[in-house]
Amino acid sequence: MIIYKSLIEKYKKYLTVSNKTPIISLNEGNTPLIFAKNLSEKLGFNGEVYLKFEGMNPTGSFKDRGMTMAVSKAIENGSKAIICASTGNTSASASAYAAKAQIRCIVLIPKGKIAVGKLSQAVMHGAEVLEIDGNFDDALYIVRELSNKYPLTLVNSINPYRIEGQKTAAYEICENLGQAPDYQFMPVGNAGNITAYWKGYKDYNKMESSKYYLPKMMGFQASGAAPIVEGHIIKKPETIATAIRIGNPTSWKTAEEVRDDSKGVIDKVTDEEILKAYKIVAATEGIFCEPASAVSIAGFIKYIKQDYFKNSNSIKVVCILTGHGLKDPDIAIAKATSIIKVKSNINEITKTIGF
Ligand code: F0G
C-alpha cells in the first residue's frame, strides 16, 4: 500500500521541523498542475499554460500548506490555542487543523463579507467565530495585539511557519515541470503567498539544480483593493473577490522586493475582468475556482492583451488558482446565466433544448 506522505514529511529537509515535531496533517499539498490547452487556445497564447489548482487542498485553499506547519509548530511549542484574522480561507483552514490537533481556534472575521462556504467550514470545525464591526485590516490589528498579550498563537502569515509551508507549492511546480516556469501569475492580498512562492523558487534553485531558475512573479490586486499598486493604504477596500479585500497588506514590502528581484509586476485588475476570467476558466478548463483565484487568469489575460509576451512560443506560464469555487457559490449563482424554468414535461423540455 502506498500512502501519500504529509507535506511536512515529504519536504522535511527544507522545513524547520525535527523528529520531535508532532505532525498535524490533513494530507495537504500535492495539488494538480493542469495543462490548460483550451484556455491557451481561447486566449490566442502560443506558449504553455498550467493551472496550479490549490482548491484541491483539504479545506479548499492554499492556506492548508501553511497551516500544517503553523499548527504543528504551535503544538510542538506547547500552544493550547490559535488565533487569526481572516477574509475566510485562513479561518477555514485554521479551524480544521485546530480540530485535528484538538486545540482552541479563535477567528476574527470582517463584517458581512465572508463567503458562505468558508464560514460554514469554520463553524463546523468548532472555531469560536467573532464577526467584528470592521474590515480585515482592523481584525488583523486586534489579533496581533491579543497574541502579543495572551497565550494565543497567531496563525496569520506573519507567522513564519505559514510562509515556510506555503513555499512547498513552488517545489511541486518545479518537480512537475522539470524546471521553474518563466512567469507565475497569482493574486495578492495580504501578500504572504507571493512571498512564500518566491522563497520556494529561490530555495529550490539553490538546493536542487540551477535548471530550476527563477520565474518572473506577476502579482495582481483587485482594483478596489490595490494598496501596493496605488502606493498608499486603502481605508475602505472593496472588491467582489472578498478573499483579497485588504487595504494594508502585512507583507507589502516583501511583495515589492519580490516584484523587483524577479523583474515581475504588481498590478491590478477590475472586478469586471475578474468575473470574466472566473467564467472563462470554468467554461474552458472545467475548473471552478473562487473569484480571488480568477485574479491570476484576469492578470494573464490583461498582459496578453498588452502584448507583453513578445514571442510566446516557448514560454511556460503557471497561474495559481488559490481557492475552490465552491467556497463562494453565491457569486457563481448571481453571475451565471439565468436558469431556465420549465414544466416537468418531455415535449416542452425537448423544444426548449432545441431537438
Ligand atoms: N486567494 C485566496 C483564495 C485567498 O484566500 C487569499 C488570502 C489570497 C488569494 C491572497 O493571499 O493574502 O497571501 O496575498 N486570504 C486570506 C484569508 C487573507 O484570510 O483567508 P495572500
Side-chain angles (χ1 to χ4, degrees):
M1 190 163 69
I2 299 169
I3 295 179
Y4 168 71
K5 288 181 184 173
S6 70
L7 193 72
I8 293 179
E9 277 173 286
K10 185 167 177 215
Y11 292 115
K12 218 171 199 166
K13 66 173 176 174
Y14 303 108
L15 303 171
T16 330
V17 289
S18 73
N19 291 335
K20 284 200 211 101
T21 311
I23 297 175
I24 308 298
S25 171
L26 298 170
N27 279 23
E28 55 293 311
N30 198 24
T31 57
L33 187 69
I34 300 160
F35 181 49
K37 188 165 173 283
N38 295 341
L39 181 69
S40 308
E41 280 173 11
K42 170 103 181 160
L43 303 178
F45 183 75
N46 295 324
E48 291 173 24
V49 183
Y50 297 86
L51 308 174
K52 178 74 170 160
F53 192 21
E54 288 289 280
M56 296 302 282
N57 274 298
T59 78
S61 86
F62 70 94
K63 306 286 180 181
D64 297 345
R65 293 180 184 277
M67 212 54 78
T68 185
M69 271 299 290
V71 175
S72 297
K73 292 301 285 188
I75 299 295
E76 184 178 358
N77 296 325
S79 176
K80 299 271 187 290
I82 58 173
I83 190 167
C84 67
S86 182
T87 57
N89 281 323
T90 298
S91 64
S93 185
S95 54
Y97 283 82
K100 185 79 176 176
Q102 291 290 289
I103 54 170
R104 275 181 80 183
C105 178
I106 298 151
V107 306
L108 264 66
I109 57 171
K111 195 174 176 179
K113 299 282 182 177
I114 299 292
V116 66
K118 303 174 188 180
L119 194 54
S120 67
Q121 290 175 288
V123 294
M124 276 302 288
H125 294 306
E128 294 154 62
V129 181
L130 281 71
E131 183 185 88
I132 68 154
D133 187 13
N135 62 26
F136 171 83
D137 303 295
D138 302 324
L140 188 58
Y141 172 78
I142 295 167
V143 295
R144 286 179 91 146
E145 292 288 305
L146 290 175
S147 67
N148 283 335
K149 271 200 182 147
Y150 303 106
L152 293 164
T153 305
L154 186 64
V155 295
N156 280 103
S157 58
I158 303 144
N159 181 326
Y161 299 121
R162 278 276 314 277
I163 304 292
E164 256 200 64
Q166 285 171 215
K167 73 183 179 181
T168 58
Y171 302 170
E172 289 177 11
I173 292 172
C174 290
E175 283 166 9
N176 290 157
L177 287 181
Q179 61 166 82
D182 299 293
Y183 298 88
Q184 174 168 305
F185 285 77
M186 64 189 301
V188 174
N190 211 22
N193 211 26
I194 195 165
T195 304
Y197 268 98
W198 183 240
K199 199 164 188 312
Y201 283 122
K202 282 205 303 195
D203 277 7
Y204 220 69
N205 182 50
K206 204 161 29 174
M207 290 191 274
E208 292 297 321
S209 150
S210 58
K211 75 175 172 178
Y212 297 104
Y213 52 81
L214 301 171
K216 288 191 171 59
M217 301 293 284
M218 314 291 280
F220 289 83
Q221 302 193 295
S223 58
I228 303 177
V229 182
E230 306 298 348
H232 58 83
I233 292 171
I234 307 291
K235 287 248 166 63
K236 289 197 163 71
E238 275 310 335
T239 169
I240 191 140
T242 54
I244 54 167
R245 190 172 157 268
I246 294 172
N248 187 12
T250 301
S251 303
W252 185 325
K253 265 195 82 140
T254 351
E256 287 178 337
E257 282 162 22
V258 171
R259 173 196 64 198
D260 299 342
D261 287 357
S262 75
K263 301 189 175 56
V265 303
I266 305 271
D267 201 346
K268 59 184 177 179
V269 284
T270 63
D271 278 6
E272 203 182 320
E273 289 170 313
I274 295 169
L275 285 172
K276 218 168 143 195
Y278 175 60
K279 287 185 188 169
I280 288 176
V281 70
T284 58
E285 293 297 337
I287 297 176
F288 187 25
C289 67
E290 66 169 285
S293 308
V295 163
S296 307
I297 309 291
F300 181 44
I301 295 174
K302 179 171 177 174
Y303 275 62
I304 292 176
K305 283 192 180 151
Q306 285 179 3
D307 213 9
Y308 178 80
F309 309 98
K310 292 286 176 272
N311 182 5
S312 66
N313 278 334
S314 55
I315 290 177
K316 286 188 187 359
V317 170
V318 170
C319 298
I320 312 298
L321 301 182
T322 47
H324 204 289
L326 291 172
K327 293 265 191 181
D328 202 350
D330 292 343
I331 291 191
I333 300 286
K335 301 294 170 187
T337 15
S338 57
I339 294 160
I340 307 164
K341 294 217 165 79
V342 285
K343 285 213 178 76
S344 172
N345 172 295
I346 291 199
N347 288 340
E348 192 178 322
I349 293 172
T350 311
K351 224 164 94 190
T352 309
I353 62 175
F355 283 95

PDB file of all heavy atoms in Angstrom, residues 61-63 85-91 118 136 156-157 162 166 187-194 243-244 246 290 292-293 322-324, ligand 1:
ATOM      1  N   SER A  61      -8.219  25.444  -0.061  1.00  0.00           N
ATOM      2  CA  SER A  61      -7.360  26.571  -0.438  1.00  0.00           C
ATOM      3  C   SER A  61      -5.903  26.297  -0.067  1.00  0.00           C
ATOM      4  O   SER A  61      -5.612  25.354   0.676  1.00  0.00           O
ATOM      5  CB  SER A  61      -7.806  27.883   0.238  1.00  0.00           C
ATOM      6  OG  SER A  61      -7.230  28.008   1.522  1.00  0.00           O
ATOM      7  N   PHE A  62      -5.025  27.159  -0.587  1.00  0.00           N
ATOM      8  CA  PHE A  62      -3.575  27.012  -0.347  1.00  0.00           C
ATOM      9  C   PHE A  62      -3.185  27.179   1.119  1.00  0.00           C
ATOM     10  O   PHE A  62      -2.062  26.830   1.509  1.00  0.00           O
ATOM     11  CB  PHE A  62      -2.799  28.032  -1.194  1.00  0.00           C
ATOM     12  CG  PHE A  62      -2.973  29.465  -0.749  1.00  0.00           C
ATOM     13  CD1 PHE A  62      -2.070  30.065   0.115  1.00  0.00           C
ATOM     14  CD2 PHE A  62      -4.049  30.219  -1.197  1.00  0.00           C
ATOM     15  CE1 PHE A  62      -2.228  31.380   0.527  1.00  0.00           C
ATOM     16  CE2 PHE A  62      -4.215  31.537  -0.783  1.00  0.00           C
ATOM     17  CZ  PHE A  62      -3.306  32.112   0.081  1.00  0.00           C
ATOM     18  N   LYS A  63      -4.101  27.716   1.904  1.00  0.00           N
ATOM     19  CA  LYS A  63      -3.763  28.014   3.307  1.00  0.00           C
ATOM     20  C   LYS A  63      -3.324  26.764   4.060  1.00  0.00           C
ATOM     21  O   LYS A  63      -2.568  26.853   5.029  1.00  0.00           O
ATOM     22  CB  LYS A  63      -4.960  28.622   4.019  1.00  0.00           C
ATOM     23  CG  LYS A  63      -5.549  29.834   3.352  1.00  0.00           C
ATOM     24  CD  LYS A  63      -4.685  31.056   3.521  1.00  0.00           C
ATOM     25  CE  LYS A  63      -5.326  32.251   2.837  1.00  0.00           C
ATOM     26  NZ  LYS A  63      -4.547  33.464   2.936  1.00  0.00           N
ATOM     27  N   ALA A  85      -6.994  36.486  12.041  1.00  0.00           N
ATOM     28  CA  ALA A  85      -7.974  37.339  11.360  1.00  0.00           C
ATOM     29  C   ALA A  85      -8.102  36.739   9.977  1.00  0.00           C
ATOM     30  O   ALA A  85      -7.138  36.167   9.468  1.00  0.00           O
ATOM     31  CB  ALA A  85      -7.435  38.754  11.248  1.00  0.00           C
ATOM     32  N   SER A  86      -9.274  36.875   9.369  1.00  0.00           N
ATOM     33  CA  SER A  86      -9.381  36.229   8.068  1.00  0.00           C
ATOM     34  C   SER A  86     -10.486  36.790   7.194  1.00  0.00           C
ATOM     35  O   SER A  86     -11.540  37.204   7.681  1.00  0.00           O
ATOM     36  CB  SER A  86      -9.619  34.722   8.263  1.00  0.00           C
ATOM     37  OG  SER A  86      -9.677  34.080   7.021  1.00  0.00           O
ATOM     38  N   THR A  87     -10.219  36.768   5.884  1.00  0.00           N
ATOM     39  CA  THR A  87     -11.283  37.048   4.916  1.00  0.00           C
ATOM     40  C   THR A  87     -12.028  35.749   4.605  1.00  0.00           C
ATOM     41  O   THR A  87     -12.876  35.717   3.739  1.00  0.00           O
ATOM     42  CB  THR A  87     -10.695  37.656   3.629  1.00  0.00           C
ATOM     43  OG1 THR A  87      -9.720  36.733   3.095  1.00  0.00           O
ATOM     44  CG2 THR A  87     -10.036  39.000   3.864  1.00  0.00           C
ATOM     45  N   GLY A  88     -11.656  34.659   5.260  1.00  0.00           N
ATOM     46  CA  GLY A  88     -12.420  33.408   5.131  1.00  0.00           C
ATOM     47  C   GLY A  88     -11.584  32.156   5.043  1.00  0.00           C
ATOM     48  O   GLY A  88     -11.776  31.219   5.814  1.00  0.00           O
ATOM     49  N   ASN A  89     -10.647  32.106   4.115  1.00  0.00           N
ATOM     50  CA  ASN A  89      -9.911  30.859   3.914  1.00  0.00           C
ATOM     51  C   ASN A  89      -8.951  30.515   5.061  1.00  0.00           C
ATOM     52  O   ASN A  89      -8.831  29.347   5.438  1.00  0.00           O
ATOM     53  CB  ASN A  89      -9.135  30.897   2.595  1.00  0.00           C
ATOM     54  CG  ASN A  89     -10.041  30.615   1.419  1.00  0.00           C
ATOM     55  OD1 ASN A  89     -10.949  29.779   1.521  1.00  0.00           O
ATOM     56  ND2 ASN A  89      -9.827  31.309   0.314  1.00  0.00           N
ATOM     57  N   THR A  90      -8.290  31.512   5.588  1.00  0.00           N
ATOM     58  CA  THR A  90      -7.388  31.245   6.717  1.00  0.00           C
ATOM     59  C   THR A  90      -8.188  30.687   7.890  1.00  0.00           C
ATOM     60  O   THR A  90      -7.760  29.732   8.547  1.00  0.00           O
ATOM     61  CB  THR A  90      -6.640  32.529   7.142  1.00  0.00           C
ATOM     62  OG1 THR A  90      -5.847  32.964   6.034  1.00  0.00           O
ATOM     63  CG2 THR A  90      -5.733  32.299   8.328  1.00  0.00           C
ATOM     64  N   SER A  91      -9.374  31.244   8.115  1.00  0.00           N
ATOM     65  CA  SER A  91     -10.190  30.774   9.247  1.00  0.00           C
ATOM     66  C   SER A  91     -10.668  29.344   9.000  1.00  0.00           C
ATOM     67  O   SER A  91     -10.692  28.531   9.926  1.00  0.00           O
ATOM     68  CB  SER A  91     -11.361  31.709   9.503  1.00  0.00           C
ATOM     69  OG  SER A  91     -12.251  31.726   8.418  1.00  0.00           O
ATOM     70  N   LYS A 118     -16.832  29.301   3.287  1.00  0.00           N
ATOM     71  CA  LYS A 118     -15.711  29.454   4.232  1.00  0.00           C
ATOM     72  C   LYS A 118     -16.228  29.531   5.671  1.00  0.00           C
ATOM     73  O   LYS A 118     -15.680  28.900   6.576  1.00  0.00           O
ATOM     74  CB  LYS A 118     -14.919  30.724   3.893  1.00  0.00           C
ATOM     75  CG  LYS A 118     -14.390  30.729   2.465  1.00  0.00           C
ATOM     76  CD  LYS A 118     -13.730  32.040   2.081  1.00  0.00           C
ATOM     77  CE  LYS A 118     -13.396  32.048   0.602  1.00  0.00           C
ATOM     78  NZ  LYS A 118     -12.751  33.281   0.150  1.00  0.00           N
ATOM     79  N   PHE A 136     -10.879  43.523   7.356  1.00  0.00           N
ATOM     80  CA  PHE A 136      -9.791  42.578   7.641  1.00  0.00           C
ATOM     81  C   PHE A 136      -8.610  43.267   8.330  1.00  0.00           C
ATOM     82  O   PHE A 136      -8.033  42.727   9.281  1.00  0.00           O
ATOM     83  CB  PHE A 136      -9.323  41.914   6.334  1.00  0.00           C
ATOM     84  CG  PHE A 136      -8.070  41.096   6.508  1.00  0.00           C
ATOM     85  CD1 PHE A 136      -8.134  39.786   6.975  1.00  0.00           C
ATOM     86  CD2 PHE A 136      -6.814  41.625   6.222  1.00  0.00           C
ATOM     87  CE1 PHE A 136      -6.979  39.035   7.160  1.00  0.00           C
ATOM     88  CE2 PHE A 136      -5.654  40.881   6.392  1.00  0.00           C
ATOM     89  CZ  PHE A 136      -5.746  39.576   6.866  1.00  0.00           C
ATOM     90  N   ASN A 156      -1.810  33.878  11.313  1.00  0.00           N
ATOM     91  CA  ASN A 156      -1.804  34.632  10.050  1.00  0.00           C
ATOM     92  C   ASN A 156      -0.410  34.522   9.444  1.00  0.00           C
ATOM     93  O   ASN A 156       0.508  34.006  10.089  1.00  0.00           O
ATOM     94  CB  ASN A 156      -2.189  36.094  10.308  1.00  0.00           C
ATOM     95  CG  ASN A 156      -3.702  36.238  10.455  1.00  0.00           C
ATOM     96  OD1 ASN A 156      -4.215  36.369  11.556  1.00  0.00           O
ATOM     97  ND2 ASN A 156      -4.406  36.192   9.343  1.00  0.00           N
ATOM     98  N   SER A 157      -0.240  35.054   8.229  1.00  0.00           N
ATOM     99  CA  SER A 157       1.035  34.809   7.542  1.00  0.00           C
ATOM    100  C   SER A 157       2.207  35.613   8.109  1.00  0.00           C
ATOM    101  O   SER A 157       3.327  35.517   7.622  1.00  0.00           O
ATOM    102  CB  SER A 157       0.887  35.021   6.039  1.00  0.00           C
ATOM    103  OG  SER A 157       0.431  36.316   5.758  1.00  0.00           O
ATOM    104  N   ARG A 162       3.943  29.717   8.479  1.00  0.00           N
ATOM    105  CA  ARG A 162       2.948  29.743   7.401  1.00  0.00           C
ATOM    106  C   ARG A 162       3.661  29.885   6.044  1.00  0.00           C
ATOM    107  O   ARG A 162       3.407  29.166   5.088  1.00  0.00           O
ATOM    108  CB  ARG A 162       1.990  30.928   7.606  1.00  0.00           C
ATOM    109  CG  ARG A 162       0.855  30.683   8.599  1.00  0.00           C
ATOM    110  CD  ARG A 162      -0.323  29.973   7.912  1.00  0.00           C
ATOM    111  NE  ARG A 162      -0.672  30.555   6.628  1.00  0.00           N
ATOM    112  CZ  ARG A 162      -1.452  31.615   6.469  1.00  0.00           C
ATOM    113  NH1 ARG A 162      -2.013  32.200   7.500  1.00  0.00           N
ATOM    114  NH2 ARG A 162      -1.714  32.094   5.253  1.00  0.00           N
ATOM    115  N   GLN A 166       3.877  27.238   2.873  1.00  0.00           N
ATOM    116  CA  GLN A 166       3.321  27.635   1.575  1.00  0.00           C
ATOM    117  C   GLN A 166       4.350  27.616   0.450  1.00  0.00           C
ATOM    118  O   GLN A 166       4.003  27.446  -0.714  1.00  0.00           O
ATOM    119  CB  GLN A 166       2.653  29.013   1.690  1.00  0.00           C
ATOM    120  CG  GLN A 166       1.311  28.931   2.398  1.00  0.00           C
ATOM    121  CD  GLN A 166       0.685  30.268   2.746  1.00  0.00           C
ATOM    122  OE1 GLN A 166       0.038  30.385   3.776  1.00  0.00           O
ATOM    123  NE2 GLN A 166       0.872  31.286   1.925  1.00  0.00           N
ATOM    124  N   PRO A 187      -2.838  35.974  -7.371  1.00  0.00           N
ATOM    125  CA  PRO A 187      -3.466  37.095  -6.660  1.00  0.00           C
ATOM    126  C   PRO A 187      -2.615  37.550  -5.481  1.00  0.00           C
ATOM    127  O   PRO A 187      -1.853  36.756  -4.927  1.00  0.00           O
ATOM    128  CB  PRO A 187      -4.787  36.503  -6.159  1.00  0.00           C
ATOM    129  CG  PRO A 187      -4.591  35.032  -6.136  1.00  0.00           C
ATOM    130  CD  PRO A 187      -3.504  34.690  -7.106  1.00  0.00           C
ATOM    131  N   VAL A 188      -2.766  38.817  -5.110  1.00  0.00           N
ATOM    132  CA  VAL A 188      -2.062  39.340  -3.938  1.00  0.00           C
ATOM    133  C   VAL A 188      -3.076  40.000  -3.002  1.00  0.00           C
ATOM    134  O   VAL A 188      -3.838  40.879  -3.419  1.00  0.00           O
ATOM    135  CB  VAL A 188      -0.984  40.376  -4.361  1.00  0.00           C
ATOM    136  CG1 VAL A 188      -0.354  41.027  -3.142  1.00  0.00           C
ATOM    137  CG2 VAL A 188       0.093  39.712  -5.217  1.00  0.00           C
ATOM    138  N   GLY A 189      -3.104  39.537  -1.766  1.00  0.00           N
ATOM    139  CA  GLY A 189      -3.988  40.122  -0.757  1.00  0.00           C
ATOM    140  C   GLY A 189      -3.141  40.679   0.364  1.00  0.00           C
ATOM    141  O   GLY A 189      -2.662  41.817   0.318  1.00  0.00           O
ATOM    142  N   ASN A 190      -2.894  39.833   1.348  1.00  0.00           N
ATOM    143  CA  ASN A 190      -2.019  40.227   2.450  1.00  0.00           C
ATOM    144  C   ASN A 190      -0.546  40.032   2.060  1.00  0.00           C
ATOM    145  O   ASN A 190       0.365  40.338   2.812  1.00  0.00           O
ATOM    146  CB  ASN A 190      -2.383  39.401   3.690  1.00  0.00           C
ATOM    147  CG  ASN A 190      -2.146  40.140   4.976  1.00  0.00           C
ATOM    148  OD1 ASN A 190      -2.090  41.365   4.993  1.00  0.00           O
ATOM    149  ND2 ASN A 190      -1.990  39.401   6.047  1.00  0.00           N
ATOM    150  N   ALA A 191      -0.343  39.461   0.886  1.00  0.00           N
ATOM    151  CA  ALA A 191       0.971  39.311   0.234  1.00  0.00           C
ATOM    152  C   ALA A 191       1.877  38.244   0.842  1.00  0.00           C
ATOM    153  O   ALA A 191       3.062  38.184   0.527  1.00  0.00           O
ATOM    154  CB  ALA A 191       1.692  40.657   0.121  1.00  0.00           C
ATOM    155  N   GLY A 192       1.316  37.375   1.676  1.00  0.00           N
ATOM    156  CA  GLY A 192       2.103  36.277   2.227  1.00  0.00           C
ATOM    157  C   GLY A 192       2.430  35.231   1.174  1.00  0.00           C
ATOM    158  O   GLY A 192       3.557  34.707   1.126  1.00  0.00           O
ATOM    159  N   ASN A 193       1.467  34.946   0.317  1.00  0.00           N
ATOM    160  CA  ASN A 193       1.667  33.838  -0.622  1.00  0.00           C
ATOM    161  C   ASN A 193       2.708  34.157  -1.691  1.00  0.00           C
ATOM    162  O   ASN A 193       3.515  33.309  -2.045  1.00  0.00           O
ATOM    163  CB  ASN A 193       0.333  33.443  -1.264  1.00  0.00           C
ATOM    164  CG  ASN A 193       0.278  31.974  -1.615  1.00  0.00           C
ATOM    165  OD1 ASN A 193       0.966  31.143  -1.009  1.00  0.00           O
ATOM    166  ND2 ASN A 193      -0.531  31.637  -2.615  1.00  0.00           N
ATOM    167  N   ILE A 194       2.727  35.376  -2.174  1.00  0.00           N
ATOM    168  CA  ILE A 194       3.730  35.733  -3.195  1.00  0.00           C
ATOM    169  C   ILE A 194       5.127  35.695  -2.549  1.00  0.00           C
ATOM    170  O   ILE A 194       6.103  35.248  -3.173  1.00  0.00           O
ATOM    171  CB  ILE A 194       3.423  37.112  -3.858  1.00  0.00           C
ATOM    172  CG1 ILE A 194       4.249  37.264  -5.147  1.00  0.00           C
ATOM    173  CG2 ILE A 194       3.627  38.291  -2.920  1.00  0.00           C
ATOM    174  CD1 ILE A 194       3.786  38.382  -6.065  1.00  0.00           C
ATOM    175  N   ALA A 243     -11.834  37.526  -0.745  1.00  0.00           N
ATOM    176  CA  ALA A 243     -10.641  36.939  -0.124  1.00  0.00           C
ATOM    177  C   ALA A 243      -9.473  37.926  -0.101  1.00  0.00           C
ATOM    178  O   ALA A 243      -8.618  37.854   0.780  1.00  0.00           O
ATOM    179  CB  ALA A 243     -10.237  35.662  -0.844  1.00  0.00           C
ATOM    180  N   ILE A 244      -9.429  38.825  -1.073  1.00  0.00           N
ATOM    181  CA  ILE A 244      -8.307  39.772  -1.144  1.00  0.00           C
ATOM    182  C   ILE A 244      -8.774  41.219  -0.933  1.00  0.00           C
ATOM    183  O   ILE A 244      -8.184  42.161  -1.460  1.00  0.00           O
ATOM    184  CB  ILE A 244      -7.502  39.615  -2.462  1.00  0.00           C
ATOM    185  CG1 ILE A 244      -8.399  39.719  -3.688  1.00  0.00           C
ATOM    186  CG2 ILE A 244      -6.734  38.294  -2.463  1.00  0.00           C
ATOM    187  CD1 ILE A 244      -7.624  39.881  -4.994  1.00  0.00           C
ATOM    188  N   ILE A 246      -8.310  43.675   1.010  1.00  0.00           N
ATOM    189  CA  ILE A 246      -7.321  44.061   2.029  1.00  0.00           C
ATOM    190  C   ILE A 246      -6.684  45.397   1.629  1.00  0.00           C
ATOM    191  O   ILE A 246      -6.253  45.556   0.480  1.00  0.00           O
ATOM    192  CB  ILE A 246      -6.240  42.942   2.159  1.00  0.00           C
ATOM    193  CG1 ILE A 246      -6.899  41.669   2.721  1.00  0.00           C
ATOM    194  CG2 ILE A 246      -5.065  43.389   3.034  1.00  0.00           C
ATOM    195  CD1 ILE A 246      -6.007  40.445   2.732  1.00  0.00           C
ATOM    196  N   GLU A 290     -12.414  30.171  -6.952  1.00  0.00           N
ATOM    197  CA  GLU A 290     -13.148  31.295  -6.385  1.00  0.00           C
ATOM    198  C   GLU A 290     -12.715  32.603  -7.066  1.00  0.00           C
ATOM    199  O   GLU A 290     -11.651  32.648  -7.703  1.00  0.00           O
ATOM    200  CB  GLU A 290     -13.000  31.332  -4.872  1.00  0.00           C
ATOM    201  CG  GLU A 290     -11.617  31.625  -4.352  1.00  0.00           C
ATOM    202  CD  GLU A 290     -11.662  31.899  -2.841  1.00  0.00           C
ATOM    203  OE1 GLU A 290     -12.105  32.984  -2.474  1.00  0.00           O
ATOM    204  OE2 GLU A 290     -11.255  31.024  -2.052  1.00  0.00           O
ATOM    205  N   ALA A 292     -11.301  35.361  -6.150  1.00  0.00           N
ATOM    206  CA  ALA A 292      -9.942  35.860  -5.870  1.00  0.00           C
ATOM    207  C   ALA A 292      -8.896  35.080  -6.656  1.00  0.00           C
ATOM    208  O   ALA A 292      -7.868  35.623  -7.050  1.00  0.00           O
ATOM    209  CB  ALA A 292      -9.642  35.778  -4.376  1.00  0.00           C
ATOM    210  N   SER A 293      -9.153  33.805  -6.890  1.00  0.00           N
ATOM    211  CA  SER A 293      -8.203  32.985  -7.644  1.00  0.00           C
ATOM    212  C   SER A 293      -8.208  33.350  -9.119  1.00  0.00           C
ATOM    213  O   SER A 293      -7.176  33.297  -9.796  1.00  0.00           O
ATOM    214  CB  SER A 293      -8.556  31.504  -7.503  1.00  0.00           C
ATOM    215  OG  SER A 293      -8.682  31.156  -6.157  1.00  0.00           O
ATOM    216  N   THR A 322      -5.890  29.789  -6.248  1.00  0.00           N
ATOM    217  CA  THR A 322      -5.652  29.666  -4.812  1.00  0.00           C
ATOM    218  C   THR A 322      -6.757  28.990  -4.006  1.00  0.00           C
ATOM    219  O   THR A 322      -6.497  28.427  -2.945  1.00  0.00           O
ATOM    220  CB  THR A 322      -5.405  31.074  -4.237  1.00  0.00           C
ATOM    221  OG1 THR A 322      -6.441  31.930  -4.767  1.00  0.00           O
ATOM    222  CG2 THR A 322      -4.065  31.626  -4.626  1.00  0.00           C
ATOM    223  N   GLY A 323      -8.008  29.062  -4.506  1.00  0.00           N
ATOM    224  CA  GLY A 323      -9.107  28.500  -3.717  1.00  0.00           C
ATOM    225  C   GLY A 323     -10.214  27.928  -4.590  1.00  0.00           C
ATOM    226  O   GLY A 323     -10.359  28.288  -5.760  1.00  0.00           O
ATOM    227  N   HIS A 324     -11.009  27.048  -4.016  1.00  0.00           N
ATOM    228  CA  HIS A 324     -12.061  26.357  -4.762  1.00  0.00           C
ATOM    229  C   HIS A 324     -13.311  27.235  -4.948  1.00  0.00           C
ATOM    230  O   HIS A 324     -13.693  27.982  -4.049  1.00  0.00           O
ATOM    231  CB  HIS A 324     -12.454  25.078  -4.017  1.00  0.00           C
ATOM    232  CG  HIS A 324     -13.062  24.059  -4.912  1.00  0.00           C
ATOM    233  ND1 HIS A 324     -14.316  24.215  -5.455  1.00  0.00           N
ATOM    234  CD2 HIS A 324     -12.590  22.895  -5.404  1.00  0.00           C
ATOM    235  CE1 HIS A 324     -14.587  23.174  -6.225  1.00  0.00           C
ATOM    236  NE2 HIS A 324     -13.548  22.360  -6.220  1.00  0.00           N
TER     237      HIS A 324
HETATM  238  N1  F0G B   1      -6.532  33.794  -2.838  1.00  0.00           N
HETATM  239  C1  F0G B   1      -7.340  33.368  -1.866  1.00  0.00           C
HETATM  240  C2  F0G B   1      -8.404  32.393  -2.215  1.00  0.00           C
HETATM  241  C3  F0G B   1      -7.176  33.830  -0.542  1.00  0.00           C
HETATM  242  O1  F0G B   1      -7.990  33.395   0.419  1.00  0.00           O
HETATM  243  C4  F0G B   1      -6.167  34.776  -0.260  1.00  0.00           C
HETATM  244  C5  F0G B   1      -5.970  35.298   1.083  1.00  0.00           C
HETATM  245  C6  F0G B   1      -5.343  35.185  -1.330  1.00  0.00           C
HETATM  246  C7  F0G B   1      -5.552  34.679  -2.589  1.00  0.00           C
HETATM  247  C8  F0G B   1      -4.228  36.152  -1.128  1.00  0.00           C
HETATM  248  O2  F0G B   1      -3.145  35.571  -0.497  1.00  0.00           O
HETATM  249  O3  F0G B   1      -3.016  37.128   1.423  1.00  0.00           O
HETATM  250  O4  F0G B   1      -1.159  35.564   0.905  1.00  0.00           O
HETATM  251  O5  F0G B   1      -1.627  37.507  -0.579  1.00  0.00           O
HETATM  252  N2  F0G B   1      -6.752  35.092   2.052  1.00  0.00           N
HETATM  253  C9  F0G B   1      -6.511  35.475   3.447  1.00  0.00           C
HETATM  254  C10 F0G B   1      -7.553  34.875   4.356  1.00  0.00           C
HETATM  255  C11 F0G B   1      -6.298  36.917   3.622  1.00  0.00           C
HETATM  256  O6  F0G B   1      -7.808  35.423   5.437  1.00  0.00           O
HETATM  257  O7  F0G B   1      -8.083  33.816   4.030  1.00  0.00           O
HETATM  258  P1  F0G B   1      -2.162  36.491   0.363  1.00  0.00           P
END
